[in-house]
Amino acid sequence: MKINENWNIPNLNEAKQRTKKQAVIEKSLFNIPFEVAQLGVGRTYYLRTYGCQANERDGETIAGILEAMHFTPVKNVEEADLILLNTCAIRQNAEDKVLGELASLKRLRKTNPDLIFGLCGCMAQEEEVVKTIIEKYPHVDLVFGTHNIHRLPTLLYQAMMSKERTIEVFSKEGEVIENLPVKRFGTHKAWVNIMYGCDKFCTYCIVPYTRGKERSRQVEDILEEIHVLIEEGYKEVTLLGQNVNSYGKDLQIEGGFAYLLEEAAKTGIERIRFTTSHPWDFSDEMIDVIAKYDNIMPFIHLPVQSGNDDILKIMGRRYTSEQYMTLFHKIKNKVKDAAISTDIIVGFPNETEEQFQDTLKLVDECQFDNAFTFIYSPRAGTPAAAMEDNVSEEVKQRRLQELMDHTNHWAREKNQAYVGKVVQVLVDGPSKKNPSVFSGYSQTNKLVNFTGDGICAGDLIDVKITAAKSWSLDGEAIKVK
Ligand code: SAH
Ligand code: SF4
Ligand code: F3S
């Protein structure tokens, strides 16, 4: 493999390391060099984002930067002068999808020889992926990672002017940069990063390597962002972190996430959500704050991963199934009508049938409102990847199906209980198929399709639920708030 000396290739061993050094918070580091600012005049870009909300939010920053450089967005890849794939590395099938897409997009070079292909996001942070791109995908012109999005103007300039491949990925996280531009994709719902990175190192998970160590934003910067969003007419914010419970630990913020959440609630924004919370460090103070404020939505995503203590231990989750259940019931008892969803992995190395049955038992006890279920996927460089991936594909598929039979059953049951009740819905807009049907989400994050008159996206509407389906509720609007 020919490695250009100007390239910066990620190194997994470096990405694993954690230093005690606090991240510097930069309020004005980002700027677009003068000669670069006009690069997008008369040029178009197409951005596709995969993966979690953190990546979605990064996509909004990338779009903000590109539009500050005068690039125009297009919805069709065929019309683009710049194609950027903002990727996810969480499971192998996510990566395969992107590599397939990259191969198929190559054809566009023929009709547009000046086309620039770029790859960014979590896959770009992986040493193996970048080596594969260098060797097998010569048409990829630009690779940058999650830690140097602020370098996009300069890197893009290099790639376009030199017509040479530009690869710059930092293995280690850098500063928290506060002055990056943002183009919000939502008109009444917004993502708000409260922290970056993850130090939990669950043994199966790639995120601590692709996102670096935990770095919190300052309380005042987060609150300022929420105030601006309120002024702009936003009704809902979702506070984002890989594990929001760790918020503020690095900055020694007293009260941590519970304090931030309370301050966020006091801004008066109509709705606050947050994701994700690790069951391990979910504090009682957090539960009290959620219960206290009407504008903190009674919906908690609480990934359990497995119902078996030995598997949980090898996963490095730091709780037992009993501790999970205790927390689960504490939340249910204190937060009125709370809905709880979860993530579960089947087929972790050595998972026996009995251990899998423990997961089913836990699912039946918790009766989750919703569950995201996954087949274990080994990620290169993680501790679990050193174990033999020895549950056969056939068994994994069967366990997934069986698990989904249980989780779907409870999702339906939970939805059924809403029939006849009135819920508050934040309207996303009319349905694509039928303009007199609207859709939106309830406080407990249920998708609601409903009929009504004079309704606009962003309205908060009371809706009477008339029927329940597995993944949504049907209803009729009562009144505009
Ligand atoms: N920070 C979030 C998780 C982000 S990843 C949290 O801890 O909740 C979302 C989900 O993907 C995880 O909860 C887990 O269920 C799943 N996941 C992560 N790594 C995986 C892997 N290697 N194979 C299969 N599923 C995985
Ligand atoms: Fe991954 Fe665990 Fe961190 Fe979630 S908490 S991102 S599962 S390492
Ligand atoms: Fe995927 Fe990276 Fe998010 S691996 S799930 S995009 S943090």
Side-chain angles (χ1 to χ4, degrees):
M1 183 174 47
K2 258 187 72 193
I3 305 235
N4 185 318
E5 55 175 27
N6 297 326
W7 292 344
N8 238 315
I9 295 188
N11 175 294
L12 199 76
N13 278 327
E14 264 181 55
K16 271 182 198 174
Q17 287 157 22
R18 291 293 185 266
T19 58
K20 289 244 175 325
K21 221 174 87 212
Q22 205 170 299
V24 175
I25 296 179
E26 291 283 356
K27 306 261 178 170
S28 58
L29 182 98
F30 176 77
N31 79 316
I32 303 180
F34 180 74
E35 68 277 18
V36 178
Q38 305 300 319
L39 201 60
V41 174
R43 292 193 169 103
T44 57
Y45 79 94
Y46 174 93
L47 170 68
R48 186 180 297 170
T49 294
Y50 303 79
C52 64
Q53 294 95 333
N55 228 29
E56 281 284 324
R57 180 62 187 75
D58 282 353
E60 295 183 333
T61 298
I62 292 167
I65 295 176
L66 292 174
E67 295 188 22
M69 293 166 70
H70 304 95
F71 281 89
T72 310
V74 287
K75 290 213 159 61
N76 195 340
V77 268
E78 269 80 16
E79 295 164 15
D81 300 312
L82 164 67
I83 296 176
L84 261 185
L85 301 185
N86 182 24
T87 61
C88 169
I90 201 79
R91 284 170 290 273
Q92 192 58 42
N93 55 9
E95 292 198 0
D96 292 344
K97 214 161 50 185
V98 169
L99 294 177
E101 192 65 25
L102 267 185
S104 105
L105 288 173
K106 192 176 165 186
R107 68 193 146 84
L108 298 171
R109 216 358 115 50
K110 290 208 184 85
T111 46
N112 183 359
D114 291 331
L115 180 65
I116 296 278
F117 277 111
L119 182 121
C120 57
C122 284
M123 276 173 76
Q125 292 294 142
E126 290 181 290
E127 196 174 331
E128 283 311 308
V129 169
V130 173
K131 287 183 175 160
T132 307
I133 299 282
I134 292 171
E135 270 183 276
K136 302 206 176 115
Y137 298 82
H139 62 291
V140 176
D141 309 286
L142 169 65
V143 181
F144 63 98
T146 60
H147 301 316
N148 61 342
I149 295 177
H150 62 289
R151 296 261 305 148
L152 177 57
T154 304
L155 297 175
L156 197 50
Y157 187 74
Q158 270 177 29
M160 286 171 77
M161 292 303 153
S162 68
K163 306 247 181 230
E164 276 181 16
R165 306 185 87 180
T166 300
I167 300 177
E168 182 184 283
V169 182
F170 302 155
S171 303
K172 296 209 78 57
E173 67 288 331
E175 312 82 356
V176 169
I177 303 174
E178 284 295 341
N179 71 324
L180 290 165
V182 53
K183 183 197 176 187
R184 308 243 176 222
F185 297 145
T187 52
H188 54 276
K189 298 197 278 199
W191 309 116
V192 174
N193 281 321
I194 63 165
M195 59 188 297
Y196 308 95
C198 181
D199 291 343
K200 287 285 177 287
F201 288 99
C202 304
T203 57
Y204 50 82
C205 183
I206 194 75
V207 173
Y209 313 93
T210 64
R211 295 273 166 180
K213 79 167 178 152
E214 287 173 357
R215 289 148 286 151
S216 303
R217 294 178 66 201
Q218 286 175 325
V219 177
E220 59 264 34
D221 291 329
I222 297 166
L223 296 180
E224 169 66 19
E225 186 173 340
I226 299 175
H227 281 299
V228 169
L229 288 164
I230 295 172
E231 268 168 39
E232 290 173 349
Y234 283 85
K235 301 281 171 63
E236 181 179 299
V237 293
T238 302
L239 309 179
L240 295 180
Q242 291 303 335
N243 172 30
V244 292
N245 311 0
S246 295
Y247 173 77
K249 286 183 185 164
D250 55 331
L251 301 181
Q252 285 100 42
I253 294 172
E254 214 177 307
F257 184 60
Y259 170 69
L260 175 73
L261 194 55
E262 180 150 26
E263 292 303 304
K266 287 188 205 155
T267 63
I269 186 136
E270 297 272 4
R271 285 179 163 199
I272 299 175
R273 299 185 187 278
F274 56 90
T275 197
T276 304
S277 276
H278 191 301
W280 174 62
D281 51 2
F282 205 115
S283 68
D284 287 354
E285 291 75 20
M286 277 171 60
I287 303 178
D288 292 340
V289 172
I290 298 164
K292 182 169 163 194
Y293 289 89
D294 285 347
N295 60 346
I296 302 177
M297 295 299 101
F299 169 74
I300 291 151
H301 185 58
L302 197 66
V304 67
Q305 314 299 359
S306 166
N308 176 268
D309 290 347
D310 292 329
I311 294 285
L312 283 171
K313 191 157 193 194
I314 311 169
M315 284 178 162
R317 292 292 289 182
R318 310 185 222 195
Y319 52 82
T320 61
S321 57
E322 197 186 320
Q323 285 166 331
Y324 182 91
M325 293 302 310
T326 305
L327 172 64
F328 181 95
H329 290 304
K330 214 191 288 179
I331 296 171
K332 285 271 180 185
N333 289 336
K334 284 199 171 170
V335 184
K336 199 170 152 272
D337 298 329
I340 299 182
S341 66
T342 200
D343 290 346
I344 298 169
I345 298 174
V346 299
F348 192 78
N350 301 320
E351 186 189 59
T352 65
E353 202 51 40
E354 289 77 38
Q355 290 174 325
F356 170 65
Q357 291 299 327
D358 285 343
T359 297
L360 293 184
K361 243 186 269 158
L362 182 135
V363 164
D364 289 341
E365 199 171 330
C366 290
Q367 309 181 3
F368 293 106
D369 282 79
N370 199 359
F372 299 91
T373 52
F374 308 104
I375 286 178
Y376 167 70
S377 168
R379 309 314 295 135
T382 61
M387 301 170 75
E388 197 190 340
D389 180 19
N390 56 1
V391 179
S392 75
E393 191 53 34
E394 194 191 333
V395 170
K396 282 178 176 166
Q397 290 291 349
R398 203 250 307 135
R399 286 184 191 164
L400 182 70
Q401 192 51 57
E402 216 175 306
L403 174 62
M404 282 165 60
D405 289 344
H406 285 250
T407 55
N408 293 354
H409 166 80
W410 293 117
R412 236 183 349 258
E413 287 278 310
K414 291 280 155 175
N415 277 354
Q416 203 60 47
Y418 280 85
V419 176
K421 291 192 177 152
V422 173
V423 299
Q424 188 213 55
V425 174
L426 176 56
V427 182
D428 282 330
S431 112
K432 282 198 184 89
K433 283 178 248 153
N434 184 347
S436 60
V437 174
F438 296 83
S439 72
Y441 285 84
S442 74
Q443 295 182 312
T444 52
N445 213 33
K446 303 282 179 195
L447 173 61
V448 183
N449 296 305
F450 62 98
T451 52
D453 291 322
I455 287 162
C456 299
D459 286 348
L460 284 155
I461 304 271
D462 283 341
V463 175
K464 175 146 195 194
I465 302 304
T466 51
K469 302 193 171 124
S470 291
W471 309 118
S472 63
L473 301 170
D474 289 342
E476 292 157 3
I478 298 182
K479 61 173 194 277
V480 180
K481 196 177 159 187

